[in-house]
Amino acid sequence: MQSLNEVLGEQLAERRRQHLYRQRKLLASPQAANLILDGKAVLAFSSNDYLGLANHPEVIAAFTAAAQKYGVGGGASHLICGHSIEHHQLEEELADFCGRSKALLFSTGYMANLGVISALVGSGDLVLEDKLNHASLLDGGLLSGARFQRYLHNDMASLDKHLHKDARRKMVITDGVFSMDGDLAKLPEIAAICSQKDAWLMVDDAHGFGVLGASGGGIAEHFGLTETELPVLMGTLGKGFGTAGAFIAGSAELVDYLVQFSRPYIYTTAMPPAVAAATRASLKLVKTENWRRQKLQKLVAQFRQGAANLGLELMPSPTPIQPVMVGSESRCMAIGEYLWQQGIHVGTIRPPTVPKNTARLRVTLNANHSEDDVARLLSALESAFAAIAEDNLL
Ligand SMILES: *Cc1c(COP(=O)(O)O)cnc(C)c1O
């Protein structure tokens, strides 16, 4: 019999052969336009800190003050003695922000998705998800034990067809902003189909909150969808809000039900109260500092125009997620490495995160970037694509 390490070693070697081996770069700075990664100063287009709040002085000050007052650890689960005033007030403020009756905090977005889907549906039910949904939504669907199917990306005919099946409960789940493509779910149409077919709609708006909508209320605000039209709204706090954690917003019944039945809510330690306090400070900035969203829009327009002029293949994305399609994994890695040598960090995204032969550079913009930063990225992309073409690399 092979030992554990022999079995794992073979699979790791196979992973390298496929150009799919992943490595972590060591970060030695706060999130900002410029990072120290693996000991090197780089201009980064790779974080999800879209509004530039992860290292904001007011957010840090709120965190520090709350840590002085409450200490660091959450200490216990929400249902025992870990539900602090800071958590509770943040929940009320998030519900108000989303135009929903109630909100409930989770420790991470991954857990929120597992926790909601597995609490709301099970055996005998049907879960339909967009093919390009985030991994945590797919895992939630599988974990629930419901019949789990995926419809074609943003394809209403495909969704409608699947909804003809008989089931006790039907739930339709989609990303609001697709995390690796940057495009928006066709929510008004999806909501209309769900209402006709008596299906419950859940939207994961991890990349929309803070970025979309006049006051940063995300895709629900962008499309003006009410609690009735969109009953299960999920957001994360580690992206546009610049802190950590996640929440579900919806009816009082939904939140009460999750408190009773959602295992990833119940059986985990509450997030540190100081994180909730920091998030309250960042929520204020999200709501009031419109210039951050306006600046992002300008940077997005500048990047798209410049990339189109270079003949690069972009995706139909109006958001700060601006992937540049490459296709082959090895070519994508070579371009990423070339950019790195030029002092620029861009995420290289490969299967299984995205479908086969759609490896891409996941360029993300944030409010800390300047127009000069974007110009530098465009010029590095131009020379990277030229160099890779010349070398006839791979
Ligand atoms: C990042 C992300 C999550 C997970 O959120 P975490 O708080 O990082 O665990 C869930 N859904 C989508 C669409 C995401 O992009």
Side-chain angles (χ1 to χ4, degrees):
M1 204 182 106
Q2 280 183 303
S3 75
L4 171 72
N5 290 343
E6 280 163 356
V7 173
L8 304 188
E10 280 172 15
Q11 299 203 353
L12 288 167
E14 177 59 21
R15 190 86 162 173
R16 285 180 196 271
R17 272 194 296 279
Q18 297 169 331
H19 302 283
L20 295 179
Y21 188 77
R22 291 148 190 250
Q23 270 166 307
R24 304 170 299 177
K25 288 189 179 354
L26 212 52
L27 173 68
S29 64
Q31 289 299 336
N34 294 285
L35 304 178
I36 310 289
L37 266 185
D38 273 356
K40 182 176 159 115
V42 290
L43 175 60
F45 294 90
S46 41
S47 88
N48 301 315
D49 178 28
Y50 303 118
L51 299 183
L53 296 178
N55 189 38
H56 192 287
E58 285 173 36
V59 178
I60 297 170
F63 181 86
T64 312
Q68 292 291 347
K69 191 164 170 191
Y70 298 105
V72 174
S77 68
H78 284 274
L79 288 174
I80 303 298
C81 66
H83 186 62
S84 86
I85 294 172
E86 293 290 344
H87 297 127
H88 202 72
Q89 289 183 334
L90 175 59
E91 286 180 343
E92 288 177 354
E93 290 163 8
L94 285 170
D96 179 59
F97 177 60
C98 298
R100 296 301 191 257
S101 308
K102 290 260 178 194
L104 184 70
L105 287 177
F106 281 77
S107 296
T108 72
Y110 196 108
M111 291 170 70
N113 283 339
L114 295 189
V116 172
I117 302 167
S118 61
L120 295 183
V121 288
S123 151
D125 301 331
L126 176 66
V127 171
L128 295 178
E129 299 203 20
D130 189 288
K131 234 186 153 134
L132 298 189
N133 271 0
H134 189 261
S136 56
L137 292 172
L138 303 176
D139 292 355
L142 291 169
L143 177 73
S144 72
R147 182 169 172 198
F148 173 58
Q149 292 185 317
R150 299 200 277 173
Y151 59 90
L152 298 177
H153 177 51
N154 247 338
D155 184 322
M156 297 307 110
S158 172
L159 170 61
D160 197 70
K161 195 179 84 199
H162 282 296
L163 274 172
H164 281 101
K165 297 181 177 114
D166 269 338
R168 189 179 62 141
R169 300 170 179 174
K170 298 176 189 173
M171 190 167 176
V172 173
I173 308 175
T174 181
D175 279 22
V177 173
F178 288 88
S179 53
M180 296 300 138
D181 294 52
D183 56 335
L184 309 188
K186 293 180 185 164
L187 276 193
E189 294 166 61
I190 297 174
I193 293 176
C194 286
S195 138
Q196 275 166 23
K197 297 274 159 68
D198 287 325
W200 301 342
L201 176 59
M202 169 175 180
V203 172
D204 171 343
D205 203 21
H207 299 276
F209 272 106
V211 171
L212 296 176
S215 59
I219 198 152
E221 184 184 21
H222 176 81
F223 285 124
L225 292 171
T226 63
E227 188 174 293
T228 313
E229 294 161 314
L230 169 46
V232 187
L233 179 58
M234 178 273 192
T236 65
L237 303 172
K239 289 165 182 161
F241 287 90
T243 60
F247 64 96
I248 296 291
S251 66
E253 290 84 349
L254 174 70
V255 165
D256 194 18
Y257 186 88
L258 294 174
V259 170
Q260 310 305 317
F261 296 110
S262 175
R263 294 168 65 89
Y265 179 77
I266 298 165
Y267 298 106
T268 200
T269 301
M271 70 162 66
V275 171
T279 308
R280 296 180 64 200
S282 94
L283 178 57
K284 282 202 189 97
L285 296 167
V286 165
K287 287 197 284 197
T288 54
E289 298 201 343
N290 256 322
W291 66 265
R292 293 177 187 275
R293 280 178 286 280
Q294 285 157 6
K295 182 166 176 202
L296 268 175
Q297 280 311 315
K298 266 181 85 173
L299 296 173
V300 167
Q302 182 196 353
F303 179 76
R304 288 186 70 83
Q305 184 62 56
N309 292 346
L310 296 176
L312 300 179
E313 187 183 344
L314 293 176
M315 322 231 6
S317 162
T319 67
I321 302 170
Q322 289 295 328
V324 177
M325 188 54 85
V326 177
S328 105
E329 284 98 52
S330 54
R331 222 170 141 247
C332 187
M333 296 313 285
I335 293 172
E337 179 57 29
Y338 184 100
L339 294 173
W340 175 256
Q341 293 306 330
Q342 308 290 307
I344 292 185
H345 183 247
V346 171
T348 46
I349 311 289
R350 293 163 283 172
T353 308
V354 291
K356 251 187 128 90
N357 299 317
T358 69
R360 66 199 68 179
L361 305 167
R362 182 175 180 268
V363 170
T364 54
L365 301 164
N366 70 58
N368 285 329
H369 287 130
S370 67
E371 287 175 31
D372 285 351
D373 292 337
V374 173
R376 207 180 129 200
L377 169 64
L378 286 165
S379 124
L381 280 169
E382 180 174 22
S383 41
F385 274 82
I388 300 306
E390 248 165 52
D391 278 13
N392 214 357
L393 239 160
L394 319 151

